Amino acid sequence: KNVMSHVLEEAHSHGFDFVCDGMNLDDVGVYRPGQEATKELGILSPLYDAGFTKKMIRACSKEIHIPTYNKPVNACLASRFDYDTLLTSEKLNRVDQAEAYLHQKGIRHCRVRCHDDLARIEVESKERVQVLEDQELIPYFKTLGFRFVTLDMEGITSGGYDR
């Protein structure tokens, strides 16, 4: 709510009357704490209102040549933490740096779920071996403040805390 309040302020300062988000039909039934905040702030969800799913959005984006049509999903960093976790810039930055490390290693679709001092890495099954064989990964994650580093054998899932 704090972030979107700033987005609204910025939009209004530039003469915009409305702010829209990317919520779509696939977001219904999945716990998204930010959805309530966007409703309270009056942020619009035109893709949802038009009945679009993620698959439909990608297909339309490809059809009109938007180069990011097949970009991996990139959920808010807050989704890497258990519900009711007090989020700080330090915690968010730690997860961001951990995921950036994986991206630099060529792993595009990943999540680092944060359980206090434990990092739970989610990747696609085809990339598990790469993570397991990376000799620099654990020492690097420990420099970020993680005491334990694990690989989630269920792989990457949307709503990893909703299981």
Side-chain angles (χ1 to χ4, degrees):
K1 189 170 185 179
N2 185 40
V3 170
M4 293 310 287
S5 293
H6 290 294
V7 170
L8 278 171
E9 287 174 20
E10 188 69 16
H12 292 148
S13 75
H14 290 284
F16 292 98
D17 294 325
F18 303 101
V19 170
C20 300
D21 67 13
M23 187 173 100
N24 58 73
L25 287 180
D26 292 329
D27 295 321
V28 176
V30 180
Y31 181 66
R32 299 274 191 263
Q35 285 178 359
E36 190 63 35
T38 58
K39 282 182 194 174
E40 290 173 12
L41 294 169
I43 293 172
L44 305 175
S45 302
L47 297 169
Y48 171 79
D49 293 340
F52 275 78
T53 63
K54 287 179 174 80
K55 186 175 181 180
M56 293 166 69
I57 294 165
R58 286 185 185 278
C60 289
S61 297
K62 182 177 182 180
E63 188 175 320
I64 62 173
H65 308 290
I66 295 176
T68 56
Y69 78 92
N70 65 346
K71 184 178 178 183
V73 177
N74 190 17
C76 173
L77 285 176
S79 69
R80 310 314 195 266
F81 298 87
D82 205 355
Y83 307 129
D84 300 321
T85 299
L86 177 63
L87 299 177
T88 65
S89 58
E90 178 185 277
K91 289 177 184 178
L92 294 168
N93 189 44
R94 177 169 54 162
V95 168
D96 189 39
Q97 288 180 22
E99 289 185 6
Y101 175 89
L102 294 169
H103 294 156
Q104 290 169 0
K105 296 292 182 167
I107 300 172
R108 292 182 46 194
H109 194 199
C110 63
R111 297 282 183 272
V112 176
R113 307 285 182 186
C114 185
H115 303 267
D116 297 317
D117 61 355
L118 182 146
R120 176 169 51 98
I121 300 170
E122 295 180 5
V123 296
E124 294 180 9
S125 59
K126 64 184 178 185
E127 294 171 324
R128 286 185 197 139
V129 172
Q130 180 182 349
V131 171
L132 289 170
E133 292 180 348
D134 185 337
Q135 299 298 308
E136 300 167 354
L137 186 143
I138 291 174
Y140 178 73
F141 275 46
K142 287 189 175 191
T143 68
L144 298 176
F146 291 110
R147 185 172 171 208
F148 304 102
V149 181
T150 65
L151 179 62
D152 190 321
M153 297 307 291
E154 287 188 273
I156 190 161
T157 57
S158 177
Y161 272 107
D162 294 339
R163 294 182 193 169

